[in-house]
Amino acid sequence: ETWPKGEEKVWKSGMRELDTGVEDITKSFVNHVQTSLARQPYNIDNLGGYQAAALSVRDNLLINWNETQLNYTRKAPKRAYYLSLEFLMGRTLDNALLNLGLKNQYSESVKKLGFNMEDLLDKERDAALGNGGLGRLAACYLDSSASQELPVWGYGLRYKYGIFQQLISPEGNQLEAPDPWLDNQNPWELPRLDVTYEIRFYGQADRLPDNSGRSQWTGGQEVLAVAYDVMIPGYGTKTTNNLRLWESKPKRGFDLNSFNAGNYEGAVAASNSADAITSVLYPNDHTFWTAASLQDILRRFKNLGKPITEFPDYVAIQLNDTHPTLAIPELMRILIDEEEVPWDVAWTIVTNTFFYTNHTVLPEALEKWPVPLVEHLLPRHLQIIYDICANSQSQQNLFFLQAVEKKFPHDLDRLARMSLIEEGTPKQIRMAHLAVIGSRKVNGVAELHSELVRTTILKDFVEFEGISKFGNITNGITPRRWLDQCNPELSALISETLKLDKAVWLKDLFKLEGLIPFAEDPAFRKKWAAIKQRNKERLAHHVQANLGLTVRTDAMFDVQIKRIHEYKRQTLNILGVIHRYFELKKMTAAERKKVNPRVVFFAGKAAPAYYIAKLTIRLIVNVARVLNADPETKDYLQVYFLPDYSVSLAEILIPASDISQHISTAGTEASGTSNMKFCLNGGLLLGTVDGANIEIAEEVGENNVFFFGHLTPAVEDLRYQHIYHPVPLEQKCPNLAAVLNHVSSGAFGEPDVYEPLLSTIRQSDYYLISDDFDSYLAALKMVDEAYLDKEEWIKKSINTTAKMGKFSSDRAINEYAESYWNLEPCRVAAGSTPKDTT
Ligand code: GL4
């Protein structure tokens, strides 16, 4: 079919430019009220106001998005694709305005129309398509890719429900309610009902008799993948990248109920992520969107008209943990069965295309899929996985196990350890092993973590493939959201002090070092401290408005916010609080007056099936209830559990913190990223020698952080001792024994309720609470002492922010682009107007 061409200048005369002036913005806003929303002007609430503003901003984004995509099509650069089961985007409007540079114009415009921008921003629901750090990292990387003008697309799943909403019952139990985030229409996505793929499940795979390694996969059922595009604007650039999310639609006769695609709780909460330990697996979703993404990527590559062997010159695919690993056998299937590429050539293409990031060494979080299930759901993929293990069709390469056998003859243990298939009933596929051998590079997310990956879970693979394949890229965070947006006053003070436009230092975060001399300037310190104080008041106001509780703002704000998990040790924190409480109770009123008042904030969700984590929440809530009501102590120690932790809540909590806690058992937290966010906002760090805490301390100096606890190499020995040479707790750590006895005796509600939690500590104590408790208390004491010298504390705060340059996600994404993907920026010329519109 030939498309109508028309006259170029007529087309051009109809094309919209960005609305950058207040008048144009107002016009566009009112037009959307009138037409898109079909509402009466003068008569619209804040929600409608938010929607009109969002639709108007979306128009602007689309203009840039179109230009960016057209530019990519024209220039045909190598592209990278970030495949992730989670994208924890949070809110979009404020970020889009910042990145477009239109914040002031929009504020002025909506003000003239009778609205307050803050109220409109507050109407947006979080897009919470993820659990925690891993999903938020993906969102930061998209922001940085666009800001660095890198041709990167994200691919994921369009869940109908975000992560559950957390409610807290009167007894202190976590209850889960669905998060129907799409109930109001979502202005940030663009349905692409014409971009669809058919994804096959079940059926049978028959090998062709020609010994080519090819198969024919027939029968079963097909489900339809429909694309929804989300615009990702870069900061201070026209580049607006794409996040493509897939929705599943039944084809006739397909039983979507039994398939459960797009069921977030099924797919993510029940997946083997470090945040959500459970062993129930639903690989359908994983397959569904990875297959759709790959077909989409391949189609785009084919438009270039290049030979298939050049695929890795034009495409890099990053696997965000093992969840999208099925992309490896899927690309093999397409190449071998559909493109008729010989096995060895296909394998060379695959292993030059994929990159795998590992995000945890916790054994329970390493994905394994039962062979019978994969055999039923994806018979052809299972064949390919077996062929990767040991393939008789290959002409050139020895396939995986044969090659291992050749390098390490007669080492059967090693073969069993390394195999893609774990023996047992049922047999299981080790997804991490598949991801490793199918990728060009493998990385961990902080120096210590990457070293642990190399020396523990992937040691055999390092010995087999050589160390150079196994690297590190320390995580990062976007300073746009995590400083400028969440802490606008601090951002303004930084710009004023550095005499730099924020557009400069937000893209070159090392510029913050220029703050160091100002730490010695009392007038600057005063301004710095005043901003922290106002952020504390903003948080207190939020707690008052939402929970009806009065938080005192003259206290030190001590914050621990993250998923609730035994390894993250919220229990250590709350037991420390209880210890502090009983110390206060022992004091005279006069002694108490000398104590540094402290408010301890907790927030975080527990996986719905994680009983011990839920008990931890219950303990925190009940400790809070007792302490906040105790007239003797409540002026010196308050505790709050803020329900329903989210990206938006983090944006209020983080700028308000004086100190934050990152206290995982050494060697368990791969990186952590909120540690970076707190420090960037001038909050000091109390933590263990773990994950990215270590690199933060390297940057800011050990005198500016509070470290405690055993180091990683000691952990295994200590666990061994717990089992084989147990020492009674009363003897080993009397402080902790006393605290546990208080809990057992009913100081915080019914005595029996907490026994299962307490016994994890009294018995095997896998996460070493008893080993680290005294050193934790000592660190808390050091924090108290340091806080007494306010001026010194503010200096530490300034110096901490000043040294956070390394932790910008711009740095991290550039490392991926340069060292792994071999990707270069692809600029859209400012003000350029595309010539053709096809
Ligand atoms: C995690 C790690 O637990 C966390 O330390 C890390 O910062 C994050 C991003 O790399 O990845 N791994 C999993 S699984 N969930 C996470 O949040």
Side-chain angles (χ1 to χ4, degrees), residues 77-349:
K78 181 170 187 182
R79 297 168 182 247
Y81 298 101
Y82 198 82
L83 267 55
S84 179
L85 196 58
E86 305 191 9
F87 286 95
L88 204 42
M89 305 298 281
R91 289 173 171 168
T92 293
L93 179 55
D94 193 33
N95 181 252
L97 288 173
L98 169 67
N99 285 9
L100 285 164
L102 294 176
K103 246 174 138 153
N104 293 337
Q105 291 89 321
Y106 269 84
S107 296
E108 206 183 313
S109 163
V110 300
K111 199 166 159 207
K112 285 191 174 153
L113 292 164
F115 297 101
N116 170 1
M117 196 65 196
E118 290 301 313
D119 297 338
L120 301 194
L121 295 177
D122 225 32
K123 286 292 163 189
E124 182 171 355
R125 274 173 180 265
D126 275 37
L129 308 184
N131 277 293
L134 177 146
R136 183 53 230 175
L137 184 77
C140 283
Y141 282 174
L142 292 182
D143 180 80
S144 282
S145 299
S147 300
Q148 299 295 307
E149 307 184 294
L150 292 166
V152 175
W153 275 29
Y155 275 109
L157 245 182
R158 181 177 182 267
Y159 303 102
K160 290 185 189 64
Y161 296 90
I163 187 165
F164 65 85
Q165 281 182 56
Q166 179 190 52
L167 308 170
I168 302 295
S169 77
E171 302 77 45
N173 289 326
Q174 169 180 297
L175 305 175
E176 298 96 25
D179 166 36
W181 72 296
L182 293 170
D183 272 8
N184 301 326
Q185 66 158 319
N186 175 11
W188 306 114
E189 66 179 11
L190 200 70
R192 290 267 155 178
L193 304 182
D194 54 327
V195 180
T196 61
Y197 296 95
E198 291 171 355
I199 313 295
R200 185 184 299 277
F201 289 94
Y202 313 111
Q204 62 190 70
D206 301 306
R207 292 201 184 266
L208 297 189
D210 60 2
N211 210 26
S212 61
R214 292 173 58 203
S215 279
Q216 212 167 21
W217 181 17
T218 52
Q221 302 185 340
E222 286 183 322
V223 66
L224 216 56
V226 183
Y228 284 74
D229 287 347
V230 180
M231 296 138 269
I232 308 292
Y235 175 62
T237 157
K238 258 187 173 295
T239 297
T240 301
N241 281 337
N242 197 26
L243 165 60
R244 181 158 282 181
L245 301 177
W246 300 104
E247 185 191 53
S248 57
K249 248 174 66 178
K251 278 186 73 178
R252 259 235 300 255
F254 195 97
D255 177 10
L256 206 61
N257 288 330
S258 73
F259 173 73
N260 96 295
N263 171 353
Y264 186 86
E265 291 313 317
V268 177
S271 85
N272 276 16
S273 113
D275 290 324
I277 52 153
T278 113
S279 55
V280 193
L281 280 176
Y282 295 86
N284 333 25
D285 285 278
H286 300 48
T287 316
F288 162 75
W289 69 273
T290 45
S293 308
L294 265 185
Q295 291 189 36
D296 202 41
I297 292 167
L298 198 78
R299 192 208 49 181
R300 198 166 301 117
F301 169 76
K302 286 186 132 187
N303 285 340
L304 301 175
K306 304 278 178 190
I308 193 79
T309 46
E310 289 181 20
F311 190 74
D313 300 333
Y314 290 90
V315 175
I317 300 177
Q318 187 70 44
L319 305 173
N320 196 28
D321 217 279
T322 52
H323 318 136
T325 300
L326 221 72
I328 290 171
E330 172 67 3
L331 183 55
M332 285 299 281
R333 184 191 68 79
I334 299 176
L335 292 174
I336 295 168
D337 295 352
E338 294 178 10
E339 303 296 320
E340 307 197 9
V341 172
W343 176 278
D344 297 298
V345 177
W347 187 244
T348 304
I349 293 172

Side-chain angles (χ1 to χ4, degrees), residues 132-134 137 273-275 321 359-360 445 475 567 669-673:
L134 177 146
L137 184 77
S273 113
D275 290 324
D321 217 279
H359 291 270
T360 180
V445 291
N475 284 164
Y567 88 81
E669 187 70 274
S671 161
T673 41

